[in-house]
Amino acid sequence: MRHKAWFNLAKKVIASNRRELEMPYKLTYVVTKECHSRCLHCDIWKTKPQNELTLDELEQLARNSPFLSWVDFTGGEPTDRADFAEIVQTFLRHIPDLLFVHFPTNGINTKRICEAARNIARCRPDKFVVTVSLDGPAAAHDKLRGIPGNFSKAIQTYIGLRRIEGLSVYLGMTLYPENINMVGQTFEEVRRAVPGFRPDELHLNLPNISEHYYENASTPIEVNEEFVRIIENVMKIRGLPLSPFALLERLYQKQVRQYVQTGVCPQDCSALMSSCFLSETGLIYPCSIWDQPVGSIREHGYDLRPIIKGQRAVDLRRELLAKNCPNCWTPCEAYQTIAANLVESIKGKR
Ligand code: SF4
Ligand code: SF4
């Protein structure tokens, strides 16, 4: 447990409630757009990865990023990149305050995914989380993901990951019109394969639309009252949150209704203040949703500082606070927003 790093993170979170932070503490980085899934609602798998940041370039970025406490290594399928574990280890080696490491996985290649996770766990990040995507019971999951047998592979991967010491593993279910009424069935099928599986180990997400990331802007999905009903029902079943992350999740779920009814981010979004998004080719964006490049780390010495402090970022931040962005309420972006609006979130206002 790195007490100084935790203290620094606590200071940043408290400060984010009072003023603009100098630099974000969370980075979401797209390791690769390579992906062997064939998802119906995400077109990342159709893109051909090219010009991705190299390990050397990422090492320079890590050296220049002492302010980061939390990195979400996303994809594509992050483990489809051969040097994935080395990339994460490089960040952990050069960023003394890096506490949280997370990556999502499609669960297809159990051996490779578990090996990458084991290699990362050896570096002992304080909080290491992997989310295995599971979008329904077997038939629905395999159809939504376009890969026959994907459900059983995802379950095998989940079971394998649970055996790794120092790693927390969850299943992540993104709700779509096709699976919206299958949450209970999904839970039961998982519990048959994984005895003792708990409701709080299945995380629900709203679907996201993004041109620059998911590349699915041409097929928007309407999020309606049905999504709210399902998420609120699950919230009741779960009972009281017993950890800081469970509390964040609860505060997130409580505001889904307001988001769905208004279509507006329920709080002052903290993108480009608490967090930012780095594409596989080195472009910084405010978040995974808003298709507004801020600058390239390749043109700024692999340093986020000149980009985040530049006029373009200042202008975009002003725009997003005025709600002149696509407006979303996705956990990847909402958690740090909730952390920056703690009192309002807990009171349930705004
Ligand atoms: S949703 Fe995830 S697993 Fe599916 S194609 Fe997109 S990146 Fe791949
Ligand atoms: S509210 Fe706007 S700026 Fe904030 S994460 Fe969502 S789309 Fe991005």
Side-chain angles (χ1 to χ4, degrees):
M1 171 82 79
R2 282 166 289 165
H3 296 287
K4 186 160 174 272
W6 282 101
F7 179 67
N8 289 341
L9 174 59
K11 273 201 310 192
K12 286 180 250 181
V13 170
I14 292 167
S16 70
N17 282 263
R18 296 183 175 151
R19 59 170 168 80
E20 292 288 300
L21 296 179
E22 286 274 300
M23 288 301 295
Y25 59 81
K26 181 186 175 194
L27 176 71
T28 301
Y29 159 52
V30 183
V31 176
T32 180
K33 281 204 166 168
E34 185 80 51
C35 185
H36 289 92
S37 290
R38 296 291 178 263
C39 293
L40 274 185
H41 295 294
C42 169
D43 285 346
I44 285 181
W45 60 271
K46 293 179 184 167
T47 62
K48 191 154 176 49
Q50 50 192 343
N51 202 19
E52 294 182 341
L53 290 167
T54 64
L55 185 59
D56 282 349
E57 291 179 299
L58 291 162
E59 182 160 16
Q60 293 181 63
L61 174 68
R63 283 182 198 278
N64 287 330
S65 306
F67 40 82
L68 292 177
S69 303
W70 177 357
V71 181
D72 195 340
F73 295 88
T74 189
E77 169 56 39
T79 64
D80 275 2
R81 192 165 153 167
D83 56 359
F84 171 56
E86 238 182 305
I87 291 172
V88 181
Q89 288 166 345
T90 301
F91 273 73
L92 284 164
R93 194 166 58 247
H94 289 295
I95 308 177
D97 276 5
L98 183 51
L99 294 167
F100 293 95
V101 167
H102 169 257
F103 75 86
T105 177
N106 59 22
I108 293 178
N109 192 326
T110 302
K111 188 164 173 265
R112 189 164 60 201
I113 296 161
C114 290
E115 194 175 315
R118 261 191 301 276
N119 286 335
I120 295 166
R122 279 194 196 105
C123 294
R124 298 182 168 276
D126 275 42
K127 183 82 182 155
F128 177 25
V129 178
V130 177
T131 307
V132 182
S133 299
L134 199 84
D135 289 343
H141 177 77
D142 291 0
K143 193 166 170 208
L144 277 163
R145 300 233 141 207
I147 303 285
N150 193 165
F151 179 90
S152 67
K153 285 179 180 161
I155 293 293
Q156 285 316 309
T157 301
Y158 177 67
I159 291 169
L161 289 170
R162 278 164 64 111
R163 296 195 184 112
I164 298 175
E165 201 182 326
L167 171 60
S168 306
V169 199
Y170 297 96
L171 294 177
M173 179 173 179
T174 302
L175 299 175
Y176 299 107
E178 295 91 337
N179 65 2
I180 185 76
N181 288 312
M182 296 180 178
V183 175
Q185 204 184 333
T186 305
F187 179 74
E188 289 308 326
E189 277 199 28
V190 175
R191 190 135 73 170
R192 273 199 289 279
V194 187
F197 182 74
R198 301 188 315 264
D200 63 312
E201 292 173 306
L202 178 67
H203 288 190
L204 302 183
N205 302 312
L206 294 178
N208 291 308
I209 300 297
S210 162
E211 186 57 53
H212 73 87
Y213 179 39
Y214 300 109
E215 310 197 20
N216 59 357
S218 57
T219 50
I221 300 161
E222 192 210 343
V223 177
N224 55 29
E225 193 64 26
E226 191 65 358
F227 287 72
V228 180
R229 190 180 64 76
I230 297 292
I231 287 178
E232 289 183 345
N233 281 348
V234 169
M235 197 165 78
K236 279 183 211 145
I237 293 166
R238 289 240 187 115
L240 283 178
L242 297 175
S243 72
F245 267 97
L247 176 64
L248 269 181
E249 196 186 9
R250 170 60 61 95
L251 297 175
Y252 165 79
Q253 291 167 337
K254 274 171 67 180
Q255 296 180 82
V256 166
R257 174 172 292 281
Q258 185 183 338
Y259 169 68
V260 171
Q261 287 176 345
T262 63
V264 172
C265 176
Q267 297 189 308
D268 287 344
C269 174
S270 68
L272 288 178
M273 177 186 70
S274 303
S275 60
C276 63
F277 180 94
L278 174 63
S279 80
E280 73 287 0
T281 59
L283 283 176
I284 291 290
Y285 291 84
C287 60
S288 56
I289 309 293
W290 199 14
D291 190 13
Q292 291 289 335
V294 191
S296 168
I297 61 166
R298 283 177 162 148
E299 290 163 13
H300 291 86
Y302 301 97
D303 194 341
L304 296 174
R305 287 169 282 210
I307 301 174
I308 297 294
K309 292 179 181 194
Q311 193 56 46
R312 166 94 174 136
V314 171
D315 292 344
L316 288 170
R317 176 121 183 92
R318 193 180 307 121
E319 287 298 303
L320 69 90
L321 285 174
K323 310 287 186 195
N324 294 327
C325 67
N327 283 282
C328 73
W329 194 238
T330 167
C332 308
E333 309 295 347
Y335 282 12
Q336 51 275 16
T337 289
I338 291 166
N341 296 273
L342 265 182
V343 176
E344 294 89 343
S345 300
I346 290 167
K347 280 187 186 163
K349 290 184 179 169
R350 300 187 65 177

